[in-house]
Amino acid sequence: MTGTPRPPDSAPAAFGPAAFQLVLLRRMADFQPGLAEEARRRLGASLAQQREANKRWQAMVRSPRSRGALARYRSVLGPPQAVESRAIGDLTCEALLWPVPLWPDLRFEVLAAPDGAVWNEWLVRAPGVPGPVLESPQDLRPWSATVDEVSRAFAPVRPMEGTAPTRWRLAFTASGRGCVAEFTYGLLQEVSVQPDRG
């Protein structure tokens, strides 16, 4: 006698782009819980589904049988939308770009060395899409800009150590005031601005 078959909907869903976006949102919720919750609802996912997605992602990252970060992204996100050559110093590496439905104007970029090692993984502006106009601290709204865009707009900037592997921080001056911008997966989360002493 065989056991009762499991209903099809009880089987674990494939870990794909939608689940990966939940992982991105889980980290961004540390800074912007309201925006992250709204985005999660747009994906039609519950908090339990988000926790499960994050748990499965962490298991893949930490697995001793992991095939490496680049292979993991390919298996989760599918074939990249574009692959570009990028010169960094004396090395030519590959930038692989995937669409991110939550942010249509952005792409998830993985920068891979010639040996396949992943150097960087973050959100960037999609090729050909104009970025925001950044002139003052008031222009730096959450989720409005990427690390590259803030770096160019307020050069020179001073990179600072992030508080987690997926975070970046930049210190710079805008409108004569010192600022520190916090990023998660390369997307701006918040900016602290020194008080105006004028």
Side-chain angles (χ1 to χ4, degrees):
M1 181 176 176
T2 59
T4 304
R6 289 172 60 182
D9 60 358
S10 69
F15 194 104
F20 180 67
Q21 289 177 98
L22 292 175
V23 173
L24 300 184
L25 292 175
R26 181 74 182 268
R27 298 277 66 86
M28 294 183 189
D30 295 338
F31 290 105
Q32 295 294 334
L35 287 176
E37 181 180 1
E38 179 184 339
R40 173 180 58 76
R41 288 176 175 170
R42 289 207 309 272
L43 289 174
S46 66
L47 274 173
Q49 288 171 318
Q50 184 175 38
R51 285 193 292 267
E52 178 63 20
N54 194 64
K55 180 180 175 182
R56 290 176 64 185
W57 176 256
Q58 293 302 323
M60 284 189 280
V61 169
R62 296 169 182 166
S63 170
R65 299 184 301 277
S66 175
R67 295 172 294 171
L70 185 56
R72 182 169 61 250
Y73 283 119
R74 286 182 178 275
S75 69
V76 167
L77 300 175
Q81 184 181 62
V83 179
E84 305 170 353
S85 292
R86 192 83 52 83
I88 298 181
D90 296 330
L91 290 177
T92 300
C93 60
E94 280 191 333
L96 297 86
L97 300 169
W98 284 271
V100 192
L102 274 176
W103 298 281
D105 291 345
L106 302 179
R107 297 292 180 268
F108 189 77
E109 178 188 85
V110 173
L111 205 58
D115 63 358
V118 169
W119 285 348
N120 199 21
E121 47 214 303
W122 61 6
L123 292 162
V124 298
R125 191 69 51 186
V129 175
V133 175
L134 304 175
E135 296 176 340
S136 72
Q138 288 71 35
D139 298 325
L140 296 168
R141 297 182 302 278
W143 294 14
S144 67
T146 65
V147 169
D148 283 345
E149 290 166 342
V150 174
S151 297
R152 289 194 300 267
F154 299 103
V157 300
R158 179 169 58 88
M160 302 169 66
E161 186 175 354
T163 55
T166 58
R167 296 177 183 170
W168 288 259
R169 302 172 78 205
L170 294 178
F172 53 92
T173 299
S175 301
R177 300 166 72 180
C179 302
V180 174
E182 299 269 4
F183 301 82
T184 299
Y185 282 108
L187 188 62
L188 179 65
Q189 301 298 311
E190 64 181 24
V191 179
S192 57
V193 182
Q194 290 182 349
D196 188 350
R197 303 182 185 279

